[in-house]
Amino acid sequence: MGEHIIEVSSLVKRFGDFIAVDNVSFSVEKGSLFGLLGANGAGKTTLIRMLCGLMAADAGSVSLAGIDVLKNPEEVKMRIGYMSQRFSLYRDLTADENLEFFGGLYGARDTEGAAGRSRILDSVGLAGMENTLAGDLPGGISQRLALACAMSHNPAVLFLDEPTAGVDPVSRRRFWDLIHERAEEGTTVLVTTHYLDEAEYCNDIVLMHSGRIVADGGPDEMKRRIISGPVFEISGSGASFLESVLEDESWVIEFSLFGDSVHIQTEEGMGLIDVKSRLLTLAGNNQDFEIEHITPSLEDVFLRIIDQSESEGEAVI
Amino acid sequence: MIGHMIKKEFRQLKRDKRMLPIVFIAPVFQLLLLGFAANLDPQNISLLICDLDRSPQSLELSQEIVASDYFIPVGTIYNLSEIAQEMERRKASATMIVPKGFGADLKAGRSPVIPYLVDGSDSTTAAIATGYAGNIVRRYGLKYLNADSLPPLRVDVQSRIFFNPALVSRDFMIPGLLALVLMVITLVLTSLAVVKEKELGTMEQLIVTPLSTADIIYGKLIPFAMIGVLDILLIMAASRLIFGLEIAGSFLLLFAFSLLFLFNTLGLGLLVSTFSGNQQQAMMASVLFVMLPMIMLSGFVFPVENMPAAIRVLTYAMPMRYYLVIVRGIYLKGAGMSELWEEGLAMLILGILITVISLLRFRKRLE
Ligand SMILES: Nc1ncnc2c1ncn2[C@@H]1O[C@H](COP(=O)(O)OP(=O)(O)OP(=O)(O)O)[C@@H](O)[C@H]1O
Ligand SMILES: [Mg+2]
């Protein structure tokens, strides 16, 4: 492998004075599962729309399977499937009719006959729901229908914009199984998500923040690169007090709040016993806490990166 | 591929429970409402007679009128100056004046003048009454005037209609209704259908497919054009069956011009949709910026000739102005291509203009 199916270089999108996508460059390997991450408003949807030829760019270039997408958006259409962030099926058509319609637009063979469509619907777990209106399908199931509609023509690249947002964990799992199947068959999948556990499934990820790419690489590689020291999780009622005094400690490289608990990253080589005794000293009367050595999650990585990029941003101003 | 669009559109229309009534029942309902309101049976018009002639002939004419089904005589006066006061007192909705010399003119074989004065606050009644009274006078006149030997002798009926110079009758309204219903159905439905795709996010999904802009637009417009054609036929059939209104001119010519009008209204629907982000906006824009001006400025309500010059200029931009002339001309006067080609050309030019502008504004891209 190693062949790049998508090459994005210096892509810029402005809405008036606001820069939604700011000089973004990256490339996607053929057949890989590529994750595009970032908080709300980071510019993920805007970026994907430009990659699909849905939206004009202000500068830069996108090449997909050798086609200049920004210049010839129509030429890529048969090669890509796109599932937009918003529910975009016809609610007043049945599952089967939606599939027939979208398959028909692509001239897909498999969706021409009812038997073919029912096979596809089976494969995404919609057996018996052929004649249910898409608007009446539960969220998780309708997302699988949308996926089936987006890939009826076997596109080389699938763009999925937050396909699992607001979907229950079981359905999310099934959806990702489908994505994996596709990727194994050689389809390149570019997916955006807010769920960092999902990002762990990806071969490569890029993290966007305020329209810029602030980190990229494989999930494990990123963890190694960004988080050098060990990470500990402090939980229990004393955790919040500790959080307030950690700031002045030079051996704490980074700390961040995760719900009720605090994650701290310390200098390299520090062990659990060592850290615990230091914390007990700091805690004073608030001895009621647990501490545990954890493997850093992508969340640790991203909070770290975003902290850094924001403080850099401030430094510039 | 456009076939898939059309099929999908019809499936959606079929599934929309509100659609069938809007598309096929509302036009007939409007026709009934307007048809009956415009012309309740013109019998029983209370009529005052002002006999200035006091001849045997004027007396006979009064008796003819009394005998007719259409009028209830409320009395006879002999002085012009009493008309206003007596009409008020006797609640007459019309007055017929028999001028001095009526009898003498008839005996001499000359055509007399019958000024027929109508209280025109109810223009429909006025128009109908003028017609019926004219028939009675004409019939009576033929007793004295030889229609064969002395052409063109006839009894004139002059109507002086106060208050409402635009005589509107049912026959005049119904062809106009064809224009109104076609506009409402095609304009509103088209703009809503296009905007709905934007609003629900399905447009984004359509844009990413290999559908061309033309496929998207025509896939949306053709189903509504078909509905428009069905409505044309429906209204024509209903006008004939319910009100006995026959097309005086060529059905095919009227049909062809109706298609030209559809071309305009569908284009306007598309244009409205390019300015609207959601269905509510599309509805508002259709009503405020297209339907109201079109109804007000096309001669549907107010005759174009009575408008101030500055406003009359605006009427030239209304496709319905031309279509009304056409549809009334063909329906009522049997007008043909030679009289109507200018209106047809104007609609064609406007239609092309509207379509080009909306195509330029409609992008197969997101903004
Ligand atoms: N059509 C538009 N006009 C103006 N601003 C826009 C437009 N589309 C997006 N934006 C702005 O651009 C920024 C990036 O939006 P975008 O939808 O790409 O973010 P996102 O990363 O997909 O966010 P989310 O996770 O909420 O989907 C946001 O601040 C948004 O308000
Ligand atoms: Mg988004």
Side-chain angles (χ1 to χ4, degrees):
Chain A
M1 285 229 248
E3 191 189 335
H4 289 162
I5 190 159
I6 306 176
E7 305 254 16
V8 180
S9 74
S10 313
L11 201 58
V12 177
K13 179 71 192 182
R14 295 190 199 90
F15 294 114
D17 286 341
F18 177 74
I19 304 179
V21 171
D22 188 359
N23 203 22
V24 162
S25 306
F26 64 93
S27 46
V28 179
E29 243 175 54
K30 194 169 178 189
S32 68
L33 190 46
F34 191 93
L36 184 55
L37 307 165
N40 290 122
K44 306 179 295 291
T45 299
T46 309
L47 176 59
I48 281 203
R49 282 174 168 165
M50 289 188 287
L51 301 190
C52 294
L54 273 166
M55 198 177 245
D58 291 307
S61 70
V62 178
S63 131
L64 191 147
I67 300 165
D68 184 334
V69 176
L70 298 173
K71 287 216 183 78
N72 308 305
E74 295 306 317
E75 278 179 39
V76 294
K77 301 228 151 132
M78 282 306 287
R79 294 166 206 257
I80 60 173
Y82 169 63
M83 200 179 138
S84 79
Q85 181 170 359
R86 297 176 60 194
F87 183 85
S88 59
L89 298 172
Y90 292 97
R91 289 159 202 272
D92 48 357
L93 295 184
T94 65
D96 182 64
E97 287 166 346
N98 268 294
L99 185 57
E100 183 188 0
F101 175 65
F102 285 110
L105 295 187
Y106 287 102
R109 281 279 150 73
D110 302 343
T111 59
E112 272 171 19
R117 292 197 297 274
S118 128
R119 195 154 25 79
I120 292 176
L121 290 175
D122 276 0
S123 73
V124 294
L126 266 91
M129 291 179 236
E130 289 86 352
N131 296 320
T132 309
L133 294 184
D136 295 339
L137 291 171
I141 294 176
S142 65
Q143 290 301 80
R144 295 206 295 273
L145 174 61
L147 180 67
C149 290
M151 62 187 200
S152 58
H153 57 299
N154 287 312
V157 184
L158 255 182
F159 293 95
L160 310 174
D161 195 358
E162 288 187 34
T164 54
V167 168
D168 69 81
V170 177
S171 295
R172 263 174 63 194
R173 196 42 173 273
R174 285 198 73 172
F175 196 92
W176 273 92
D177 288 344
L178 290 171
I179 296 180
H180 280 296
E181 269 171 39
R182 271 284 134 173
E184 267 156 34
E185 285 165 19
T187 307
T188 308
V189 182
L190 191 151
V191 61
T192 75
T193 179
H194 283 297
Y195 300 109
L196 292 168
D197 57 326
E198 293 182 349
E200 308 257 5
Y201 303 141
C202 297
N203 307 112
D204 282 297
I205 45 186
V206 297
L207 175 63
M208 281 184 84
H209 184 64
S210 306
R212 279 174 299 137
I213 291 185
V214 289
D216 59 356
D220 294 329
E221 176 223 329
M222 257 180 162
K223 285 179 203 164
R224 278 197 304 277
R225 200 177 46 192
I226 310 288
I227 313 269
S228 45
V231 178
F232 300 91
E233 183 179 76
I234 311 164
S235 53
S237 58
S240 57
F241 172 78
L242 279 172
E243 192 238 331
S244 64
V245 295
L246 283 172
E247 194 158 3
D248 303 326
E249 297 300 308
S250 61
W251 54 275
V252 178
I253 295 173
E254 192 65 44
F255 68 93
S256 38
L257 227 64
F258 279 77
D260 290 338
S261 57
V262 180
H263 286 193
I264 62 171
Q265 184 202 334
T266 64
E267 283 173 340
E268 239 163 301
M270 288 185 78
L272 179 64
I273 314 280
D274 190 9
V275 173
K276 189 164 184 178
S277 68
R278 289 182 194 221
L279 288 177
L280 284 170
T281 325
L282 281 173
N285 294 331
N286 302 283
Q287 300 282 330
D288 185 17
F289 64 86
E290 308 280 322
I291 178 162
E292 206 184 333
H293 187 175
I294 55 166
T295 30
S297 65
L298 273 179
E299 207 155 345
D300 293 295
V301 178
F302 289 159
L303 288 172
R304 179 69 187 281
I305 294 167
I306 284 166
D307 267 3
Q308 279 174 0
S309 82
E310 273 181 354
S311 54
E312 276 163 26
E314 273 160 13
V316 172
I317 297 162
Chain B
M1 268 195 284
I2 192 166
H4 292 286
M5 274 298 281
I6 294 173
K7 186 172 175 187
K8 179 217 89 182
E9 211 64 41
F10 273 117
R11 275 181 169 159
Q12 289 184 296
L13 284 172
K14 202 178 70 193
R15 207 148 282 159
D16 191 340
K17 298 264 181 303
R18 297 163 304 174
M19 227 37 171
L20 197 70
I22 291 179
V23 170
F24 295 118
I25 299 177
V28 176
F29 185 71
Q30 283 188 29
L31 180 74
L32 289 177
L33 202 71
L34 221 74
F36 282 119
N39 185 8
L40 293 167
D41 208 334
Q43 291 181 357
N44 306 333
I45 299 169
S46 49
L47 185 75
L48 181 70
I49 294 168
C50 178
D51 186 356
L52 305 178
D53 195 38
R54 295 188 184 229
S55 62
Q57 286 78 17
S58 68
L59 195 67
E60 263 176 33
L61 179 65
S62 302
Q63 279 157 358
E64 292 270 337
I65 284 175
V66 170
S68 81
D69 289 338
Y70 309 116
F71 298 105
I72 300 176
V74 293
T76 305
I77 53 172
Y78 302 96
N79 207 326
L80 267 180
S81 60
E82 291 170 23
I83 289 180
Q85 183 198 337
E86 288 299 308
M87 277 185 81
E88 176 81 10
R89 196 172 69 81
R90 302 183 198 224
K91 307 236 178 300
S93 50
T95 303
M96 189 175 75
I97 303 163
V98 186
K100 210 167 179 59
F102 176 79
D105 279 346
L106 278 179
K107 272 198 282 190
R110 287 194 299 268
S111 173
V113 175
I114 310 264
Y116 179 73
L117 176 138
V118 174
D119 174 3
S121 58
D122 175 357
S123 60
T124 321
T125 313
I128 303 299
T130 310
Y132 284 124
N135 281 338
I136 294 170
V137 174
R138 215 167 284 135
R139 217 172 37 236
Y140 177 72
L142 286 175
K143 278 190 184 173
Y144 291 88
L145 307 174
N146 188 333
D148 303 326
S149 63
L150 291 167
L153 282 184
R154 61 198 172 90
V155 175
D156 288 326
V157 173
Q158 285 184 357
S159 55
R160 288 194 208 125
I161 295 151
F162 299 144
F163 310 127
N164 181 358
L167 278 178
V168 181
S169 74
R170 183 173 70 192
D171 288 357
F172 195 62
M173 287 302 285
I174 289 178
L177 192 68
L178 193 60
L180 185 70
V181 169
L182 275 186
M183 177 179 68
V184 173
I185 296 278
T186 51
L187 169 77
V188 176
L189 292 189
T190 313
S191 62
L192 285 185
V194 176
V195 168
K196 199 167 137 191
E197 301 248 6
K198 277 205 245 176
E199 195 179 353
L200 297 180
T202 48
M203 188 59 88
E204 189 172 349
Q205 206 66 49
L206 287 185
I207 294 174
V208 87
T209 70
L211 273 181
S212 67
T213 312
D215 287 335
I216 295 181
I217 291 178
Y218 290 109
K220 289 249 104 172
L221 296 193
I222 288 172
F224 294 104
M226 292 183 186
I227 289 176
V229 168
L230 283 182
D231 275 330
I232 295 175
L233 299 175
L234 185 71
I235 295 173
M236 285 182 182
S239 320
R240 183 175 170 165
L241 292 176
I242 302 170
F243 298 111
L245 185 65
E246 306 261 357
I247 304 170
S250 153
F251 164 78
L252 279 180
L253 188 64
L254 180 55
F255 192 74
F257 277 127
S258 300
L259 291 183
L260 199 53
F261 182 61
L262 270 188
F263 174 56
N264 279 266
T265 56
L266 290 169
L268 283 170
L270 187 65
L271 191 62
V272 165
S273 76
T274 66
F275 283 100
S276 319
N278 58 46
Q279 295 185 72
Q280 241 163 340
Q281 285 173 6
M283 192 74 202
M284 293 277 279
S286 299
V287 173
L288 288 181
F289 297 117
V290 184
M291 275 163 59
L292 274 183
M294 199 86 103
I295 290 171
M296 295 301 178
L297 298 177
S298 66
F300 183 76
V301 184
F302 310 113
V304 172
E305 310 81 61
N306 295 2
M307 291 177 190
I311 292 184
R312 202 172 333 146
V313 174
L314 297 176
T315 68
Y316 291 106
M318 306 287 146
M320 192 162 144
R321 172 208 160 111
Y322 306 106
Y323 184 58
L324 278 177
V325 172
I326 289 170
V327 84
R328 285 171 179 162
I330 296 180
Y331 244 107
L332 305 177
K333 294 185 220 141
M337 198 62 189
S338 56
E339 290 112 308
L340 300 174
W341 68 271
E342 282 172 319
E343 276 78 15
L345 187 65
M347 277 210 294
L348 183 67
I349 293 170
L350 274 178
I352 291 173
L353 215 64
I354 292 167
T355 308
V356 167
I357 295 174
S358 48
L359 289 184
L360 286 178
R361 287 192 46 87
F362 187 94
R363 294 264 157 195
K364 202 199 165 195
R365 282 237 162 152
L366 297 172
E367 301 301 322

